[in-house]
Amino acid sequence: MALIEVNNLEKTYDVDGVLTEALRGVSFSMENGEFVAIMGPSGSGKSTLLHVLGFLDRNTGGTYRFDGKAMDDYADDELAHIRNKKMGFVFQSFNLLQRATVMENVKLPLFYSGVKESLWDGMAQKAVDEVGLAHRANYETARLSGGEKQRVAIARALVNHPQVIFADEPTGNLDSKSGQVIMEILQKLNDEDGHTIILVTHETYTAEHAKRIIHILDGKIDSDKPVARRLASDHFTK
């Protein structure tokens, strides 16, 4: 059974009576453990698709099944529970508390998880270690570089051991060197730890860290192809 199945997915926004079709009949499936990049120009619908897949928004047509159950069959509180327990999110703008420490930021999802508080420090420390920030654990986030902030965001996404990590333009605010570090972390989480990764990006070299690229154009799938992995000697460029 596929982890994610979408069939003829549609999303239309109604703003003051003006209808905008962001997704128009999108269909595909994803198995557990895949690393898929969603590409497309600005306004193509790629971020809208990620928001629907991540239960941050609801589709207006078609069907979306996650882990065998249709999105329409989930109550809002169930959606919130799945977002917290089975999904992790990494955004271009980091979305961190600047005056909180790295550990405090990483522990935030645990406040709503039902996990015993006595376990929080250990879980957060493990996530921080995975992104190579143990030496920054007690730093205020405001003191970190952009690349380090994004690594904190990844650690926060990991802390609940999610099935899926959604990354929306995670290198968009970073220089090429920092972006390379972020993509290598995501690739390792997929290759070695088996996390399903769904990456939204407009950068070709970022997308090529994935194993499959779905290209969106005008709200429809333009292509869906596997990626030939690049050699380690190839360089990351923006």
Side-chain angles (χ1 to χ4, degrees):
M1 180 180 64
L3 176 64
I4 287 173
E5 291 182 273
V6 296
N7 184 36
N8 201 32
L9 198 70
E10 298 177 355
K11 177 63 181 180
T12 301
Y13 293 101
D14 185 346
V15 181
D16 297 328
V18 178
L19 301 181
T20 301
E21 294 180 304
L23 297 174
R24 301 190 292 164
V26 172
S27 298
F28 65 89
S29 64
M30 284 182 57
E31 301 297 327
N32 196 40
E34 283 201 65
F35 186 168
V36 177
I38 301 172
M39 294 193 71
S42 179
S44 61
K46 59 186 185 296
S47 289
T48 297
L49 178 58
L50 181 141
H51 287 171
V52 173
L53 296 179
F55 290 174
L56 299 172
D57 201 356
R58 286 186 180 269
N59 53 303
T60 51
T63 58
Y64 169 31
R65 301 183 71 85
F66 179 82
D67 214 10
K69 185 173 178 178
M71 185 180 188
D72 289 344
D73 293 337
Y74 288 105
D76 287 344
D77 59 340
E78 290 180 294
L79 295 181
H81 177 75
I82 291 173
R83 278 197 305 270
N84 181 261
K85 294 293 292 181
K86 294 188 176 184
M87 299 175 175
F89 297 89
V90 181
F91 298 101
Q92 179 176 347
S93 57
F94 317 133
N95 292 355
L96 302 174
L97 300 177
Q98 292 300 303
R99 296 301 173 187
T101 66
V102 168
M103 285 287 284
E104 288 167 344
N105 270 284
V106 172
K107 284 191 284 189
L108 281 174
L110 299 174
F111 282 87
Y112 312 100
S113 67
V115 174
K116 291 181 180 178
E117 189 172 351
S118 60
L119 301 176
W120 291 3
D121 284 346
M123 293 172 69
Q125 188 64 59
K126 181 179 178 182
V128 169
D129 290 346
E130 282 202 70
V131 299
L133 282 181
H135 62 300
R136 296 280 194 261
N138 295 312
Y139 277 47
E140 282 191 356
T141 306
R143 298 174 58 193
L144 304 181
S145 68
E148 288 172 331
K149 288 178 181 179
Q150 196 60 289
R151 286 154 70 183
V152 176
I154 293 173
R156 182 184 58 191
L158 286 174
V159 74
N160 267 332
H161 310 295
Q163 279 184 277
V164 188
I165 296 173
F166 294 94
D168 192 356
E169 300 281 6
T171 63
N173 284 336
L174 306 179
D175 59 58
S176 59
K177 183 178 180 180
S178 298
Q180 172 71 355
V181 171
I182 294 305
M183 292 314 303
E184 287 176 353
I185 290 172
L186 291 175
Q187 192 168 323
K188 176 181 178 292
L189 291 172
N190 176 252
D191 288 342
E192 299 182 15
D193 300 336
H195 287 284
T196 303
I197 310 285
I198 300 178
L199 166 74
V200 163
T201 183
H202 66 277
E203 300 165 337
T204 300
Y205 286 95
T206 299
E208 287 177 349
H209 282 78
K211 296 174 181 174
R212 172 183 172 193
I213 297 176
I214 297 175
H215 195 275
I216 303 289
L217 185 64
D218 297 330
K220 297 180 179 180
I221 292 181
D222 185 51
S223 64
D224 184 348
K225 299 178 180 179
V227 175
R229 278 293 175 91
R230 295 175 295 121
L231 297 175
S233 59
D234 289 350
H235 294 287
F236 178 94
T237 58
K238 287 183 78 76

